[in-house]
């Protein structure tokens, strides 16, 4: 539809088109619905990047589900995290007895995800289970070992924006995932 050329001339390449993302998110939603059938599911989105993915994913989940968010601040340089990550917004609800599924936009070095486990409620350890669902996985850059239970797409070592992912706060609104011009 030429969205890239109209609203984002800075995009060099579309890595994942809107319909590819939608199809995969539908599959993930169906899989999660089957896996958590009969269980009390709580999705925990990591702000801000996961908000678009989570909003589409939740509409593809057919079992009862609650949603909460944590926010983390990272002292990185804009394109990568430094390993210093602080929880700036903790969970509002208790995870006690619930099956928690952490929702991430992308796992790169792995630091953000590792530190998100520090959210007070998760650390209290009363969740029935804690698993991870990420839309994108960039395994080539991993620094900390982390187990990913659901992965949308494995991508190469390129900096991507769109569908919630930003560069310097921008491009989260793009409906596709693209690579910025260098
Ligand atoms: P990690 O802590 O290095 O695993 O990086 C995770 C966070 O860094 C993500 O939640 C994103 O906010 C950001 N990030 C890592 N790679 C990219 C990318 O390619 N595009 C946009 N943001 C990214
Ligand atoms: Mg970010």
């Amino acid at each position: 539809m030429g969205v890239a050329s109209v609203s984002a001339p800075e995009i060099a390449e579309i890595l994942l088109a809107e319909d590819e993302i939608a199809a995969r998110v539908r599959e993930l939603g169906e899989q999660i619905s089957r896996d958590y059938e009969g269980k009390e599911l709580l999705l925990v989105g990591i702000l801000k990047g996961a908000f678009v993915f989570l909003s589409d994913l939740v509409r593809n989940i057919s079992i009862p589900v609650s949603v909460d968010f944590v926010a983390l601040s990272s002292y990185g340089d804009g394109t990568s995290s430094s390993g210093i990550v602080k929880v700036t917004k903790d969970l509002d609800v208790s995870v006690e007895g619930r099956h928690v599924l952490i929702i991430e936009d992308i796992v790169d070095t792995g630091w953000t995800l590792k530190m998100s486990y520090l959210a007070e409620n998760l650390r209290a350890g009363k969740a029935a289970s804690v698993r991870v669902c990420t839309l994108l996985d960039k395994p080539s850059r991993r620094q900390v070992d982390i187990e990913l239970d659901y992965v949308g797409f494995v991508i190469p070592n390129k900096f991507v924006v769109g569908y919630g992912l930003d560069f310097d706060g921008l491009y989260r609104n793009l409906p596709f995932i693209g690579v910025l011009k260098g």
Side-chain angles (χ1 to χ4, degrees):
M1 218 194 72
V3 178
S5 55
V6 175
S7 62
E10 305 91 339
I11 299 297
E13 174 200 348
I14 294 183
L15 201 65
L16 296 164
E18 200 174 345
D19 57 344
E20 271 179 273
I21 299 171
R24 186 67 186 120
V25 172
R26 198 173 314 124
E27 284 177 357
L28 287 171
E30 287 166 2
Q31 193 185 342
I32 289 165
S33 304
R34 283 195 301 273
D35 293 353
Y36 288 90
E37 176 90 63
K39 293 180 172 159
E40 211 179 320
L41 176 60
L42 172 66
L43 301 185
V44 174
I46 302 185
L47 293 172
K48 303 176 182 143
F51 83 101
V52 176
F53 175 40
L54 194 149
S55 75
D56 282 345
L57 183 66
V58 80
R59 282 175 287 178
N60 283 284
I61 292 179
S62 56
I63 58 170
V65 60
S66 312
V67 175
D68 201 356
F69 293 94
V70 293
L72 306 165
S73 74
S74 149
Y75 302 93
D77 60 6
T79 59
S80 68
S81 42
S82 57
I84 308 165
V85 182
K86 204 175 85 185
V87 178
T88 58
K89 185 221 166 288
D90 209 331
L91 293 169
D92 294 327
V93 302
S94 164
V95 300
E96 193 165 349
R98 286 169 150 165
H99 293 270
V100 174
L101 186 57
I102 297 175
I103 309 296
E104 222 341 355
D105 52 355
I106 184 167
V107 181
D108 188 29
T109 63
W111 280 113
T112 302
L113 196 54
K114 191 173 172 84
M115 301 319 261
S116 71
Y117 282 100
L118 287 182
E120 196 60 44
N121 262 313
L122 288 178
R123 200 173 41 184
K126 291 180 183 160
S129 69
V130 182
R131 297 174 89 191
V132 174
C133 172
T134 184
L135 178 67
L136 305 177
D137 180 17
K138 228 195 262 183
S140 53
R141 301 228 323 147
R142 199 77 86 251
Q143 291 176 9
V144 285
D145 203 23
I146 237 143
E147 195 182 328
L148 304 176
D149 302 286
Y150 302 90
V151 174
F153 302 93
V154 176
I155 64 164
N157 185 15
K158 291 180 176 177
F159 191 82
V160 294
V161 296
Y163 200 74
L165 291 132
D166 74 304
F167 172 68
D168 213 11
L170 294 174
Y171 308 108
R172 295 191 198 275
N173 56 315
L174 298 178
F176 53 83
I177 291 170
V179 181
L180 278 182
K181 283 181 183 161

